[in-house]
Every structure is written in structure tokens, then in C-alpha cells.
Amino acid sequence: HGTCGPADGTAETPAAIPAERTPAYPPAFPCAQGSCFHHLPGHPWVAVVDWPTEHGWSVAATIREASDQRVETELFDLTADGALAQWSPSVSDLHVLVQLCAVAEGVQARPADRPLAVNLSFGRRATEADCTQPDAIPGSTLGCAIGRVLSDLAGKGVLPVAAAGNHHEMLFPASSPGVVSAGALDLSG
């Protein structure tokens, strides 16, 4: 089962991940309606864990444009329906963990076709239960499990990238060890 195996049975209320505000894009936006989400085996690609909205589309467009259209993207949908909705109806750490485990299982099944990176362009406030400090004692929280999966992916050559936060505070999962964090500030800091 590895890092995505069953939990130890303790109950945990998943932390909610706030949905990103969705800007209005013009009809000619390069990845409108998710048109940038496709991956052909053997081609370089990035796993995009995100919402199937303009936010996810803009992440895919940025990756594709930055790579001069040489890197493909595949969406791992945070809003995917199923039994998960009964445990946590809004997007939470549980949804993130499920999608990261889907990426990890794909890497295990097809190691030669692993993504170059896994992108998580969102975050929430980090807590002590997230095991983000190098000397943290591994726990059984969802935050710790997310950190373990990201670490496992990094160990298999998949670069984890997450939103640092644009408000002077490092967000989770970007605060996890081994995760490349990305953010922006405006001229006012």
C-alpha cells in the first residue's frame, strides 16, 4: 500500500481548501474548457491537481506556454464525484490526498511515463498537524499523509510544486519538506 495505504483508523475532519477566485477569461483563452488537458504516453507531462475551471485551465496554459508547447498536462480533478463526497462535500485535504495517490499509483504502474512534476496551485494555512517541520514526528493526519505522498513522488523523480501563497504566509502543502513553492507579490509587497 505504501504512502497511499489505509489510515490507522483514527477519525479526522479534513481541512478545507478554499477555492481559488476564478477570473473571467476571453473566449480565445488558450486552454478554455480544459482543452489543454491531454497526455500521450511517452511525452513529457505535468500532473495538475486542481479544479476543472478557469483556474486549472490557466495553470495548464502557463505550463504549456512556458514549455513552448512541449510539455503536456493532465488534470487530477479535486471535485471528482464519488463516495468521497459523503465524507467531505467541499474540497479538502482528503480530496488532495486522493488525487495525489492517483498520481502516485500511476507512477508506480508506469514508472517510465511518470510526470515531470505535480502542480498544486492552491493551499491553506499550515498547522502543526501537517508534519511540515524536518524534525516533526510522522503522524497519521491527512496533512502528514499528503506530505509523505509528495516526498514519495519526489523520490521517484516527480518534482512537487505548490502555491506558496501571495500574502506573506507560506501555505500548506508548499510548506512541506521537498516541495518547490511558488508565489508572487505586487509592487506594494
Side-chain angles (χ1 to χ4, degrees):
H1 293 277
T3 55
C4 291
D8 63 3
T10 58
E12 177 180 355
T13 302
I17 306 289
E20 293 287 328
R21 289 177 28 156
T22 350
Y25 289 100
F29 183 70
C31 290
Q33 304 300 316
S35 62
C36 286
F37 291 120
H38 64 276
H39 162 63
L40 298 173
H43 291 241
W45 66 289
V46 171
V48 176
V49 179
D50 214 314
W51 288 263
T53 63
E54 285 91 352
H55 185 265
W57 304 338
S58 66
V59 169
T62 301
I63 291 166
R64 291 180 53 83
E65 290 299 315
S67 72
D68 203 20
Q69 306 296 323
R70 291 182 296 225
V71 174
E72 298 173 349
T73 57
E74 184 173 329
L75 177 67
F76 288 79
D77 184 356
L78 287 172
T79 63
D81 289 332
L84 192 55
Q86 72 180 341
W87 296 104
S88 182
S90 61
V91 172
S92 69
D93 284 356
L94 188 56
H95 295 81
V96 174
L97 182 59
V98 165
Q99 295 307 324
L100 285 175
C101 285
V103 173
E105 289 165 3
V107 168
Q108 186 168 339
R110 296 173 308 282
D113 191 39
R114 68 181 180 272
L116 301 170
V118 59
N119 179 282
L120 303 108
S121 188
F122 55 85
R124 63 165 174 74
R125 285 200 153 131
T127 69
E128 287 188 27
D130 292 329
C131 303
T132 58
Q133 301 304 314
D135 58 345
I137 299 170
S140 61
T141 65
L142 290 170
C144 288
I146 289 168
R148 285 192 300 271
V149 174
L150 290 170
S151 178
D152 183 57
L153 285 168
K156 292 179 178 166
V158 179
L159 180 67
V161 179
N166 300 335
H167 307 288
H168 304 287
E169 180 181 359
M170 182 70 76
L171 298 177
F172 176 83
S175 57
S176 298
V179 175
V180 173
S181 59
L185 297 174
D186 60 19
L187 293 176
S188 65

